[in-house]
Amino acid sequence: GNSVTQMEGPVTLSEEAFLTINCTYTATGYPSLFWYVQYPGEGLQLLLKATKADDKGSNKGFEATYRKETTSFHLEKGSVQVSDSAVYFCALWGGKLIFGQGTELSVKP
Amino acid sequence: GAVVSQHPSWVICKSGTSVKIECRSLDFQATTMFWYRQFPKQSLMLMATSNEGSKATYEQGVEKDKFLINHASLTLSTLTVTSAHPEDSSFYICSANEEGYSYEQYFGPGTRLTVT
């Protein structure tokens, strides 16, 4: 069946550090892929998406590229800010959203 | 655009009572709405999928009689937790698809339910 695996957290970085959160998936075909962000006490917000292989989704300085060869959709940001502290979820659409377990990011000033 | 609201944002109820949570799509028509449950520091677990005017489809292991879902219109779905118990305490989140965009979901802010 479809599944998503994310790197375990929590991830703690200093402000302006480079961020990578790994995400790999198992699916039939080429599903749409998403990154969602959840700030403390809030629901999920769509951060970015990619609907086909080699697509790059980007938003607010975050990027992720749909790599079918490695079945990956890693999230990156060149310089994180304290305000980026949140939980990040990788997900795929396979008739319903399948979420990874989430990765907590904490950015220290 | 594409805003989903939930009401209430938090609720405390006594064991044995029922509580209703509303999910509304404010500026679009939602063909399908989804209900999730999230435990602390864990991922979202899909509970059920509801389509306007038809019965909800529940995920395996979710009690239909305990978690009643009604999707009365293209902008409103409700989740009623019946005879709530402390183990039902959780964060409940709904999401909705804009008609014609089945894979892109917009999430509500969530409802924190505490059963005492």
Side-chain angles (χ1 to χ4, degrees):
Chain A
N2 297 335
S3 66
V4 176
T5 302
Q6 289 178 236
M7 64 185 284
E8 286 192 23
V11 173
T12 302
L13 296 174
S14 297
E15 207 164 21
E16 300 184 0
F18 185 86
L19 168 71
T20 299
I21 300 178
N22 290 337
C23 170
T24 57
Y25 67 90
T26 302
T28 304
Y30 303 108
S32 295
L33 301 174
F34 306 86
W35 276 100
Y36 285 88
V37 58
Q38 185 178 34
Y39 297 101
E42 299 182 12
L44 272 69
Q45 300 174 27
L46 177 65
L47 181 60
L48 54 83
K49 69 181 183 207
T51 58
K52 60 183 188 295
D54 299 326
D55 264 3
K56 178 186 282 189
S58 61
N59 186 27
K60 299 180 182 179
F62 291 90
E63 293 183 340
T65 302
Y66 191 143
R67 303 277 189 207
K68 67 177 182 179
E69 305 84 6
T70 52
T71 62
S72 65
F73 193 54
H74 304 322
L75 182 68
E76 296 182 337
K77 186 175 186 183
S79 176
V80 293
Q81 304 301 312
V82 172
S83 57
D84 294 327
S85 299
V87 180
Y88 292 82
F89 292 93
C90 184
L92 68 81
W93 175 258
K96 60 183 179 182
L97 271 179
I98 308 295
F99 287 93
Q101 66 268 42
T103 302
E104 183 179 359
L105 170 66
S106 177
V107 180
K108 306 296 184 185
Chain B
V3 177
V4 175
S5 70
Q6 280 184 244
H7 179 80
S9 55
W10 59 271
V11 58
I12 300 172
C13 70
K14 291 183 184 258
S15 188
T17 62
S18 296
V19 61
K20 180 183 286 188
I21 302 169
E22 291 187 349
C23 175
R24 293 182 184 271
S25 57
L26 297 185
D27 51 2
F28 66 99
Q29 293 190 325
T31 313
T32 306
M33 288 184 169
F34 302 83
W35 286 96
Y36 297 85
R37 185 172 179 177
Q38 186 181 30
F39 292 100
K41 296 191 181 295
Q42 293 188 26
S43 190
L44 280 74
M45 180 192 79
L46 180 65
M47 300 174 65
T49 303
S50 74
N51 292 288
E52 184 263 340
S54 60
K55 288 185 177 180
T57 302
Y58 290 81
E59 295 297 301
Q60 194 171 7
V62 177
E63 297 177 61
K64 301 178 184 181
D65 296 331
K66 180 163 194 62
F67 299 100
L68 299 179
I69 291 171
N70 182 277
H71 194 154
S73 74
L74 285 173
T75 59
L76 173 65
S77 177
T78 60
L79 167 68
T80 302
V81 183
T82 62
S83 187
H85 291 284
E87 57 265 30
D88 298 324
S89 299
S90 193
F91 196 51
Y92 292 89
I93 302 174
C94 73
S95 69
N97 287 350
E98 189 169 5
E99 195 169 10
Y101 297 87
S102 61
Y103 57 80
E104 190 157 341
Q105 293 184 25
Y106 299 94
F107 285 78
T111 296
R112 173 78 58 196
L113 170 63
T114 301
V115 184
T116 61

